[in-house]
Amino acid sequence: MQIDLTPIQAVAQRVEVIGRAVLVQGDCRDILPTLPKVDAVVTDPPYGIGIAANPVRQKHEKLNWDAAPPSDELIAECIAKGGAAIVWGGNYFSLPPTQRVLVWDKLQPADFSLAMIEMAWTNLTGPAKMHRESVTSYDKSHPTQKPDRLMKWCIGFLPDAQTILDPFMGSGTTGVAAVQMGRDFIGVEREPKYFDIACRRIEQAQRQGDLFIGGAA
């Protein structure tokens, strides 16, 4: 991936290039204007759902999880950076109608007290699709971390997207999925703790190579 790092470095706290990935520590509101347009944006922005008070997630330190979620304008700016877009929690933002909604069924019992599914808004065409995977089946380094297989499933709907951007990278799951599938990745994360975790996870993913076989169904 050829990208001019000079304007990014001027506003970022830190920039790491790890194989096919460019990871940027900073606020995406500052970083986005310095980035080129990419093939696709795949992201899971915070959407203000009381994470810090959630008893299931108390093992994670309380950062500023309950601050105001990103504005509709910022989400639109993120989407505009890519040709295709997949936005988890898109139902929390004012986005246009979509034909292809992606759903994650967390495989929880009927009396599960938290959300049993999560939805992603896309600007893709085609029927809605569902991925089934238990929310308890994987280890988490971040309170809203998605499963690796879920993000690989998402990217499978983007066969022509060579470069993928995640403006709200968190612990780097989108980046892990992207590099294991042979794609280039740009990730932005403002919290130093999670930026460091993302760097380690994506570096390990680069060493493992493409472990994903098959595509979206």
Side-chain angles (χ1 to χ4, degrees):
M1 173 173 50
Q2 297 296 322
I3 180 172
D4 183 3
L5 298 179
T6 304
I8 302 172
Q9 291 168 330
V11 296
Q13 299 173 44
R14 181 177 160 197
V15 178
E16 297 287 343
V17 179
I18 304 175
R20 306 186 72 141
V22 175
L23 310 183
V24 184
Q25 184 186 335
D27 192 311
C28 71
R29 290 171 293 187
D30 301 322
I31 306 302
L32 279 172
T34 72
L35 298 178
K37 184 155 183 168
V38 298
D39 300 317
V41 172
V42 179
T43 192
D44 181 21
Y47 28 93
I49 54 174
I51 297 242
N54 189 316
V56 176
R57 294 166 171 151
Q58 285 301 312
K59 68 177 181 177
H60 297 281
E61 66 177 284
K62 295 182 178 69
L63 297 173
N64 197 21
W65 299 114
D66 294 328
S71 66
D72 291 337
E73 290 76 17
L74 178 55
I75 296 299
E77 185 179 353
C78 292
I79 292 170
K81 279 293 179 180
I86 298 175
V87 181
W88 283 97
N91 48 302
Y92 289 93
F93 302 102
S94 297
L95 293 170
T98 177
Q99 185 181 53
R100 169 159 278 180
V101 173
L102 302 182
V103 177
W104 172 28
D105 177 358
K106 298 181 178 182
L107 296 180
Q108 295 303 295
D111 60 352
F112 186 56
S113 61
L114 305 178
M116 297 176 67
I117 66 164
E118 291 192 33
M119 296 174 57
W121 175 93
T122 81
N123 62 0
L124 309 176
T125 58
K129 293 291 183 178
M130 179 177 290
H131 174 86
R132 294 179 172 89
E133 182 173 358
S134 173
V135 72
T136 62
S137 66
Y138 62 102
D139 294 330
K140 302 176 183 65
S141 302
H142 187 286
T144 61
Q145 183 174 326
K146 298 289 188 290
D148 292 359
R149 286 186 295 178
L150 175 68
M151 301 316 293
K152 290 174 183 175
W153 177 75
C154 290
I155 294 172
F157 291 103
L158 308 169
D160 299 323
Q162 184 56 46
T163 302
I164 293 171
L165 166 66
D166 185 350
F168 302 95
M169 178 172 64
S171 59
T173 303
T174 303
V176 168
V179 301
Q180 286 187 345
M181 296 175 72
R183 316 296 180 93
D184 295 328
F185 177 71
I186 303 172
V188 182
E189 172 56 36
R190 67 181 183 182
E191 298 291 348
K193 170 183 176 178
Y194 294 115
F195 183 81
D196 288 342
I197 292 172
C199 288
R200 291 196 297 271
R201 294 184 68 213
I202 290 170
E203 184 174 13
Q204 182 180 15
Q206 295 273 13
R207 291 197 300 267
Q208 291 174 337
D210 187 356
L211 305 180
F212 184 61
I213 301 174

